[in-house]
């Protein structure tokens, strides 16, 4: 399969990917929907409407929305038909004349939030991360809580402060508790990233209904990279007994391109083996884990290049995203198109595969090399870049950048 | 102050109240904004636009919205001017001719969600409730967590499943852990209500900014009653370490009429005394606590009347809503018009003043009289009604009903 659009070697966006995003340009500030191909964006809002007529009559309207929610709500058969039309017609070899005038260089486009997020949930589904954090805070004996291997543990996060890659964030201030004195208020001292992915809900489910763990096709639209910025000192003092709150909700960064599940399904690997029997409503009858290579890099204020500080892989997820969604709706909780569900920090088994500074610096007890500098946590002016790609049988698809800079406290 | 509209004695909605809501009628299914007066609703979307001209030119558009968010975003000076116009002009004695044709009997109207809730947060700010729960689960010595008297502890809840009074909910199913065996999945056995209030955010604050604890006038629009339905068995097994999740997010019920802070400020009482010094960003320079009488009643499936099972009062809140909002934004977390922030269960010091079955039945160790029946927790077919009113100097304002019925699991 090849596109008439030139796709550089190692591009994140070959014709096998085709992620969706929302963009604008200087000469047209309207937020509109496009699909990434090589170093270009095909402006789907501009494509001749007759192209979509055979699929669904509301597609032209969906592509003119300033967010993907409407398209997300249309379900797998529509997404699949659009993908086929893109791959076999619009972007195929020989289609220059049809769409060349709707191709926009990514370098001239500004990316925006891909969806209006109704609710944002963050899971905690990497066993290596949960074990590492458990060892640090509760000791080796009690590292994993008793519920962890039975439940895809998760919590509600803050939707309003999810921002798109490239949005700088101020270091949060907050209440912290020194070991030897009363609480204080001031800038976070233990600023951290969390290397995550997240999925967007496609079709929702009504209040009172549940999504079946083996029938999530219409309900999971696609995935993005996510940096779940964390203020460890604020989090530590606040989180018992009701969970993380201000230690997280000052900002969460996602990548702008939503990689569809159809693209991801080219890279399925076996689910992780369960450590104990799990309940029927969580039991998968197929593999839905992905070989997605992840990396996180830091660039200090006075550095010119990013320095990789860790790698990981989505395949280390103990719970699949299908199990996460089935659990989330097992009590009848409704979901809506555009809801965002995070993976939780994804750490691998080795020290170089940890997905947070908390783990990489082991609670600040060792330093992490960042080029010619060192870090235990994130400094003002630091930029953090999360990247990810899948590769198999000569096909490589990527997620683009999930990047953010920490500015000094206001 | 008196209205030309007849207001029955003990009505929740005299001219001193004037809460806002969203309603529709059989002959006009458009969701539109109205204000409650006696047993009527004044349809603000129908009032002659010239009435609002002197206040803000976008008011007519605001009142034609299907939710209050736009009006909420306009800030205190606009809300105040509208209230003055309603009290001194439109609803005053002698104004029959101007607005009589826009008065709709509440009995013919259907009430809807008053706002599109962006984010929903629930606090945990009643010291008696936090102490009761602490004693039950951690013993008397460790009843209050060390952070509780320093932080208005809260957590993010689920916005999608907040429903308006009158919406029935199915008993949630979920994962529970019997003491003596592996986890099971099935209908919740320990179904509970939580007697709460909640406030709606008015003007929001930008990401990175904070709301000053003594300058919340533009930022808090008004209050509603709330039933934070809770599945205690699901909650117990899931909530460590990331907080309540499926034990709560199957449904949360609010009353449809939003009582403005201007109405509430007629009933201010002293803030609770802090048990230890608190940080500057939480220090109030004025009283912002309210003498709001609360009650909760249950009606079994075969009962014809509600039976009061407990009373409480908003004045038992340890943290004010101003402190809650200041804390929520202290790290730069942005808020938006229509965000909903719950009080947490409000319990008083006495046994009859507990705001949940968990406390009233003391974890199921004693029965609670419900008319000629008994309960430890909520049964299928039970309806729960929360009501509330303020009274001072011959003025009484109320909140209307916050009501919901638990149907059997699906």
């Amino acid at each position: 399969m090849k596109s008439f659009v030139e796709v550089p070697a190692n591009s994140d966006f070959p014709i096998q990917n085709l992620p969706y995003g929302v963009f604008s340009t200087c000469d047209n500030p309207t937020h509109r929907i496009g699909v990434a191909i090589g170093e270009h964006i095909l402006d789907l809002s501009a494509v001749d409407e007759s192209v979509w007529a055979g699929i669904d009559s509301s597609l032209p309207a969906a592509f003119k929305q300033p967010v993907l929610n409407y398209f997300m709500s249309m379900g797998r058969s529509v997404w699949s038909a659009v993908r086929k039309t893109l791959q076999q017609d619009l972007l195929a070899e020989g289609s220059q004349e049809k769409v060349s005038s709707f191709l926009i260089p990514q370098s001239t486009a500004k990316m925006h939030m891909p969806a209006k997020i109704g609710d944002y949930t963050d899971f905690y589904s990497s066993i290596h991360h949960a074990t590492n954090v458990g060892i640090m805070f509760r000791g080796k004996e009690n590292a994993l809580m008793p519920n962890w291997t039975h439940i895809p543990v998760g919590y509600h996060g803050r939707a309003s402060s999810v921002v798109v890659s490239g949005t700088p964030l101020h270091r949060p201030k907050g209440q912290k508790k020194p070991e030897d004195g009363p609480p204080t208020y001031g800038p976070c001292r233990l600023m951290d990233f969390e290397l995550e992915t997240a999925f967007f809900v496609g079709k929702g489910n009504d209040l009172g209904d549940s999504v079946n763990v083996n029938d999530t096709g219409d309900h999971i639209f696609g995935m993005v990279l996510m940096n779940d910025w964390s203020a460890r000192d604020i989090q530590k003092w606040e989180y018992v007994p009701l969970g993380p709150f201000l230690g997280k909700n000052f900002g969460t960064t996602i990548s702008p391109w939503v990689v569809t599940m159809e693209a991801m399904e080219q890279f399925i690997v076996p689910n992780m083996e369960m450590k104990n029997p799990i309940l029927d409503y969580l039991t998968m009858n197929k593999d839905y884990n992905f070989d997605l290579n992840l990396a996180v890099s830091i660039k200090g204020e006075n550095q010119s290049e990013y320095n990789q500080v860790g790698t990981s892989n989505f395949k280390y997820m103990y719970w699949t995203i299908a199990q996460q969604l089935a659990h989330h709706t097992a009590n009848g909780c409704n979901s809506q198109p555009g809801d965002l569900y995070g993976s939780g920090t994804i750490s691998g088994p080795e020290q170089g595969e940890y997905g947070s500074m908390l783990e990489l610096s082991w609670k600040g007890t060792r330093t992490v090399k960042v080029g010619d500098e060192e870090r235990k946590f994130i400094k003002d002016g630091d930029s953090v870049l999360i990247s990810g790609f899948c590769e198999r049988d000569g096909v490589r698809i990527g997620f683009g950048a999930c990047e953010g800079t920490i500015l000094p406290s206001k």
Side-chain angles (χ1 to χ4, degrees), chain A:
Chain A
M1 196 162 23
K2 224 173 153 271
S3 174
F4 77 86
V5 183
E6 196 197 320
V7 177
N10 281 325
S11 165
D12 279 348
F13 307 122
I15 195 165
Q16 292 86 356
N17 192 350
L18 302 183
Y20 295 95
V22 171
F23 74 101
S24 65
T25 47
C26 284
D27 50 331
N28 182 357
T30 308
H31 292 208
R32 53 206 198 274
I33 290 171
V35 64
I37 178 78
E39 294 177 323
H40 286 78
I41 300 170
L42 175 63
D43 181 350
L44 293 176
S45 76
V47 170
D48 192 288
E49 299 192 359
S50 65
V51 168
W52 314 118
I55 303 176
D56 190 303
S57 62
S58 50
L59 264 178
F63 289 140
K64 286 189 169 66
Q65 299 290 311
V67 283
L68 280 161
N69 298 56
Y70 187 8
F71 182 53
M72 287 168 165
S73 76
M74 299 176 84
R76 176 94 176 205
S77 62
V78 172
W79 311 331
S80 195
V82 170
R83 181 177 173 84
K84 197 171 156 191
T85 299
L86 289 168
Q87 288 186 327
Q88 299 181 3
D89 181 11
L90 298 188
L91 293 171
E93 287 181 289
S95 288
Q96 282 87 333
E97 277 183 27
K98 284 189 202 164
V99 298
S100 283
S101 52
F102 313 128
L103 281 175
I104 289 155
Q106 286 180 30
S107 57
T108 67
K110 185 172 161 55
M111 300 304 298
H112 306 284
M113 281 290 287
K116 169 78 183 147
I117 299 169
D119 278 287
Y120 156 55
T121 290
D122 198 21
F123 286 92
Y124 186 53
S125 291
S126 151
I127 193 164
H128 302 300
H129 171 69
T131 304
N132 286 340
V133 172
I135 292 172
M136 276 186 254
F137 291 101
R138 288 180 298 272
K140 220 159 191 169
E141 310 301 296
N142 305 303
L144 277 188
M145 300 303 297
N147 59 10
W148 200 92
T149 55
H150 296 277
I151 289 179
V153 171
Y155 68 104
H156 299 118
R158 180 83 188 175
S160 72
S161 54
V162 180
V163 298
V164 73
S165 177
T167 309
L169 294 168
H170 289 274
R171 176 178 297 263
K173 290 183 279 193
Q175 194 174 137
K176 301 158 290 181
K177 172 77 173 65
E179 292 293 335
D180 53 355
T184 60
Y185 176 75
C188 160
R189 293 260 179 103
L190 306 179
M191 184 71 197
D192 204 351
F193 60 81
E194 289 196 337
L195 169 61
E196 301 198 15
T197 65
F199 71 86
F200 275 106
V201 170
K203 269 195 182 174
N205 65 292
D206 290 337
L207 192 62
D209 290 344
S210 304
V211 174
N212 185 297
V213 70
N214 290 304
D215 191 17
T216 59
D218 277 338
H219 300 284
I220 304 183
F221 176 77
M223 291 172 61
V224 291
L225 304 173
M226 189 169 93
N227 182 346
D228 177 27
W229 300 98
S230 297
R232 299 296 179 193
D233 40 4
I234 297 172
Q235 184 183 350
K236 186 182 173 194
W237 174 229
E238 76 178 355
Y239 92 102
V240 178
L242 299 184
F245 187 49
L246 299 189
K248 300 279 192 174
N249 66 17
F250 57 90
T252 307
T253 305
I254 61 170
S255 54
W257 291 108
V258 188
V259 176
T260 65
M261 295 322 296
E262 251 181 307
M264 289 302 294
E265 286 162 13
Q266 305 167 90
F267 308 95
I268 284 181
V269 290
N271 301 334
M272 265 188 119
E273 202 179 322
M274 300 280 103
K275 284 186 171 289
N276 45 242
I278 56 170
L279 289 161
D280 285 350
Y281 81 97
L282 291 172
T283 302
M284 307 273 309
N285 64 14
K286 64 181 173 194
D287 287 323
Y288 212 61
N289 195 6
F290 305 101
D291 182 14
L292 162 55
N293 302 282
L294 299 165
V296 60
S297 305
I298 298 175
K299 186 174 72 179
E301 193 172 11
N302 299 314
Q303 294 180 320
S304 56
E305 309 251 315
Y306 273 103
N307 306 282
Q308 189 168 296
V309 294
T311 60
S312 188
N313 194 306
F314 184 86
K315 72 183 179 190
Y316 296 130
M317 290 277 284
Y318 188 82
W319 298 101
T320 67
I321 56 177
Q323 288 171 318
Q324 290 174 338
L325 183 59
H327 182 65
H328 204 318
T329 60
N331 67 342
C333 178
N334 55 336
S335 61
Q336 298 178 315
D339 284 350
L340 185 73
Y341 296 159
S343 59
T345 309
I346 305 175
S347 294
E350 305 302 327
Q351 196 180 312
E353 297 177 306
Y354 293 169
S356 65
M357 293 301 284
L358 179 70
E359 293 162 272
L360 288 165
S361 76
W362 206 256
K363 231 175 146 181
T365 58
R366 58 189 181 215
T367 54
V368 177
K369 249 187 95 58
V370 177
D372 52 355
E373 300 184 9
E374 288 181 336
R375 293 285 185 285
K376 289 179 174 174
F377 288 92
I378 298 298
K379 287 174 70 168
D380 285 350
D382 281 356
S383 299
V384 175
L385 169 70
I386 292 173
S387 56
F389 70 94
C390 305
E391 192 159 20
R392 178 180 285 181
D393 302 333
V395 174
R396 180 195 185 281
I397 70 167
F399 276 70
C402 175
E403 192 178 11
T405 301
I406 295 300
L407 305 176
S409 282
K410 261 195 182 175

